[in-house]
Amino acid sequence: MKTLWAGDWQNNGYISQSEADAALLSSLRFWTGGNKEMACALFGKSGLVRDKWQREDYRESTWGLIDHGDVRSGAADPVPAAPDIEVHGCSLVEYRDKQIDHGQTLLGARLLCRTGGMMMVAPSGVGKSSAGVQQDICWALGKAAFDIMPERPLKIACIQSENDEGDMHEMAWGVMESLNLKKDEIERVKANTFYVPARTVFGHSFIKLAERVLAKFKPD
């Protein structure tokens, strides 16, 4: 939020300043407990202020946009309609007769497969971030992490919104030192891990960023 407050929206993953306006105003709305006047007054002191912000209709429409939970874009951009999705179901008999494609397995004995999901749930402060770094390093090398073996060395992309560069340095250095990685292993980790900082991107902007990350790195 710091760089966005300073007016640097181009380097924060937004496709327009109107989108950035909505994102900052949404954050201010949260921190002011939904106080519209206070949030707008604070926005007026930010680096994003421009002539367009002085228009009451723009302020009102931008507030209305975030009030409905869509901070994808500025007030002039319409919310995209939901795409038509073809609905198809399978009977349990069809599932019984299907063959398992083990090539879709990523972790363990089908613990995680492509199109699946997995969550790490634990209280604050117990080391989830460090554990995440360790598992990414191990799985990028094709090694087990916490007794979970990957199917092969995995290419891993992470959109990182919690830790700053200092935190990431400490975790990456500490884990690699404790694992006693060889030079060739460090090179494989370098080739197979891709972390993208995104502390001020959310909503539809986050989805667009994720799409760009997937297109660029093509992770497993």
Side-chain angles (χ1 to χ4, degrees):
M1 183 176 174
K2 183 177 180 180
T3 54
L4 194 59
W5 173 265
D8 183 11
W9 60 270
Q10 295 96 332
N11 293 319
N12 277 279
Y14 298 102
I15 59 176
S16 70
Q17 184 169 344
S18 293
E19 182 183 15
D21 289 349
L24 178 59
L25 189 61
S26 181
S27 294
L28 295 173
R29 178 180 183 271
F30 172 80
W31 290 111
T32 59
N35 188 312
K36 179 181 176 181
E37 291 185 1
M38 186 181 296
C40 289
L42 287 171
F43 186 98
K45 298 178 181 180
S46 75
L48 288 178
V49 170
R50 50 182 170 150
D51 291 342
K52 191 175 182 179
W53 179 253
Q54 309 307 323
R55 288 169 29 203
E56 183 178 359
D57 66 317
Y58 179 70
R59 295 195 301 272
E60 290 296 324
S61 55
T62 303
W63 183 265
L65 189 71
I66 66 170
D67 208 31
H68 286 84
D70 181 15
V71 293
R72 177 189 62 87
S73 57
D77 298 325
V79 178
D84 292 330
I85 300 175
E86 182 179 354
V87 177
H88 175 71
C90 287
S91 74
L92 290 176
V93 173
E94 288 178 287
Y95 278 121
R96 183 201 65 177
D97 295 338
K98 284 180 178 291
Q99 297 296 315
I100 293 177
D101 182 0
H102 292 285
Q104 299 299 307
T105 300
L106 297 176
L107 296 175
R110 304 192 68 257
L111 176 64
L112 180 66
C113 300
R114 289 186 180 276
T115 75
M118 186 170 67
M119 296 181 66
M120 181 188 297
V121 182
S124 177
V126 300
K128 294 188 297 296
S129 294
S130 296
V133 168
Q134 181 170 334
Q135 71 184 25
D136 287 353
I137 290 172
C138 290
W139 291 339
L141 291 170
K143 296 183 177 181
F146 315 117
D147 292 328
I148 301 174
M149 191 72 185
E151 185 68 17
R152 59 185 178 280
L154 301 178
K155 293 184 69 176
I156 298 170
C158 176
I159 299 178
Q160 204 286 119
S161 61
E162 179 180 5
N163 303 292
D164 62 23
E165 290 188 356
D167 297 329
M168 293 306 304
H169 162 75
E170 291 174 346
M171 290 186 290
W173 184 88
V175 171
M176 291 187 199
E177 285 293 303
S178 66
L179 293 175
N180 295 314
L181 298 187
K182 300 176 182 178
K183 185 176 180 180
D184 65 311
E185 292 177 321
I186 291 175
E187 289 301 314
R188 270 187 284 162
V189 172
K190 183 176 181 179
N192 282 344
T193 59
F194 186 64
Y195 273 56
V196 180
R199 289 186 290 275
T200 59
V201 183
F202 46 91
H204 285 279
S205 296
F206 180 87
I207 294 174
K208 287 183 176 295
L209 174 62
E211 289 174 344
R212 291 197 292 269
V213 170
L214 293 174
K216 180 176 181 178
F217 193 65
K218 296 179 176 57
D220 290 304

